[in-house]
């Protein structure tokens, strides 16, 4: 009875292999309920994926709305002069432009400029407040679509500690 | 599990003001963890608010929206006691929804 010295090793390898297969199968099953979930939630197909991957203001707006914007004094962009914590910068945008149908906010120095885009159906006010992450001091641009045209307002926000974990 | 969504909708005259707070990591994909590995992007893509069978607000969010995102907006037509449905979906296909009463 001469046992080869690598037998226990081989056995262990088998067990590991088995575990790996189990792992994959387990993952597959865990994903299933997500796929089968009824589509009563927010519609992911509406998401403008490409617009959120653009690195310049012009490209993001072109991707999102297919046009360029002109400055307007009818947009109010409320953001701090100095943001001590770039991870949480409160930004409020409102506008008195007629027939506003969309609002977007861009942080030009972030890796991707577009931060958020909002659809404003008729009956909803052209006003939104949220909180954004800023990598560093940057110009923040508010965009409002009004009567089919794009308008912008911008403000420089100084960031003391960047919000991208740097 | 408790809902990830907290929403307060209050009717004032013909306008309903909505404030919502969603619990979500909103990982941008640019941040490294303690061992220096990039934390993969995990953020909410779309949030929808529905009232009376109509979408009153849609938000598209990129990785630049802060963790546990806050949102405030107002719409016309809501009354006290009406339902307001909030739902979100993230880039991994995870979702949550909640129906709140307008106060």
């Amino acid at each position: 009875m001469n046992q080869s010295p690598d037998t226990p090793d081989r056995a262990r390898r088998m067990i590991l292999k088995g575990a790996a297969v189990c792992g994959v199968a387990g993952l597959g099953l865990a994903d299933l309920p997500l796929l089968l979930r009824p589509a009563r939630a927010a519609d992911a197909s509406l998401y403008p994926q490409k617009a959120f991957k653009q690195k310049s203001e012009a490209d993001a707006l072109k991707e999102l709305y297919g046009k360029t914007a002109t400055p307007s004094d009818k947009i109010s962009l409320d953001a701090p002069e100095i943001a001590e914590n770039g991870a949480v910068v409160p930004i409020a945008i409102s506008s008195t432009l007629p027939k506003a149908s969309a609002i977007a906010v861009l942080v030009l120095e972030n890796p991707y400029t577009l931060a958020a885009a909002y659809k404003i159906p008729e009956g909803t006010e052209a006003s939104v407040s949220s909180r954004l992450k800023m990598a560093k001091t940057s110009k923040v641009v508010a965009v409002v679509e009004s009567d089919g045209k794009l308008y912008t307002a911008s403000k420089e926000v100084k960031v003391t500690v960047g919000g991208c974990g740097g | 599990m408790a809902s990830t969504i907290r929403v307060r909708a209050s009717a004032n005259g013909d306008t309903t003001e909505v404030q919502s707070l969603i619990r979500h990591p909103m990982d941008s994909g640019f941040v490294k963890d303690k061992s220096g590995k990039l934390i993969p992007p995990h953020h909410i893509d779309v949030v929808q608010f529905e009232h009376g069978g109509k979408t009153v607000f849609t938000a598209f969010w990129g990785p630049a929206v802060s963790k546990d995102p806050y949102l405030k907006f107002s719409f016309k037509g809501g009354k006290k006691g009406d339902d307001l449905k909030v739902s979100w979906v993230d880039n991994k296909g995870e979702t949550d929804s909640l129906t709140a009463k307008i106060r």
Side-chain angles (χ1 to χ4, degrees), chain B residues 26-92:
Chain B
M26 296 302 280
D27 290 319
S28 67
F30 296 106
V31 179
K32 288 179 180 143
D33 65 15
K34 287 202 178 80
S35 64
K37 275 200 298 194
L38 274 180
I39 302 167
H42 184 201
H43 56 82
I44 294 176
D45 283 353
V46 184
V47 193
Q48 275 176 317
F49 294 80
E50 287 163 58
H51 168 259
K54 183 176 164 255
T55 302
V56 291
F57 196 82
T58 307
F60 300 119
W61 283 341
V65 172
S66 301
K67 178 181 192 252
D68 298 336
Y70 165 82
L71 193 63
K72 180 170 132 184
F73 71 95
S74 300
F75 68 96
K76 285 194 165 51
K79 291 192 305 292
K80 277 189 174 65
D82 284 1
D83 280 347
L84 180 76
K85 191 189 152 193
V86 189
S87 60
W88 61 257
V89 57
D90 71 17
N91 64 326
K92 293 184 177 178

Side-chain angles (χ1 to χ4, degrees), chain A residues 37 40 42-43 46-47 52 87 110-112 115-119 121-125 128-133 164, chain B residues 15 26 30-31 45 48 54-66 70-72 74 76 85 87 95 97:
Chain A
R37 207 171 273 186
R40 59 188 203 95
D43 190 352
L46 299 172
Y47 190 60
F52 279 101
N110 273 2
Y112 300 127
Y118 303 99
K119 286 215 296 204
E122 212 182 318
T124 296
E125 287 177 13
V128 60
S129 308
S130 62
R131 302 195 284 229
L132 302 180
K133 285 179 267 193
C164 284
Chain B
T15 307
M26 296 302 280
F30 296 106
V31 179
D45 283 353
Q48 275 176 317
K54 183 176 164 255
T55 302
V56 291
F57 196 82
T58 307
F60 300 119
W61 283 341
V65 172
S66 301
Y70 165 82
L71 193 63
K72 180 170 132 184
S74 300
K76 285 194 165 51
K85 191 189 152 193
S87 60
T95 67
S97 65

Side-chain angles (χ1 to χ4, degrees), chain A residues 112-157:
Chain A
Y112 300 127
T113 53
L114 182 61
Y118 303 99
K119 286 215 296 204
I120 312 291
E122 212 182 318
T124 296
E125 287 177 13
S127 168
V128 60
S129 308
S130 62
R131 302 195 284 229
L132 302 180
K133 285 179 267 193
M134 291 181 64
K136 54 186 166 193
T137 297
S138 170
K139 205 171 169 185
V140 174
V141 178
V143 181
V144 176
E145 187 183 44
S146 154
D147 209 4
K149 292 198 182 69
L150 285 188
Y151 300 94
T152 61
S154 64
K155 184 175 176 177
E156 178 94 357
V157 176

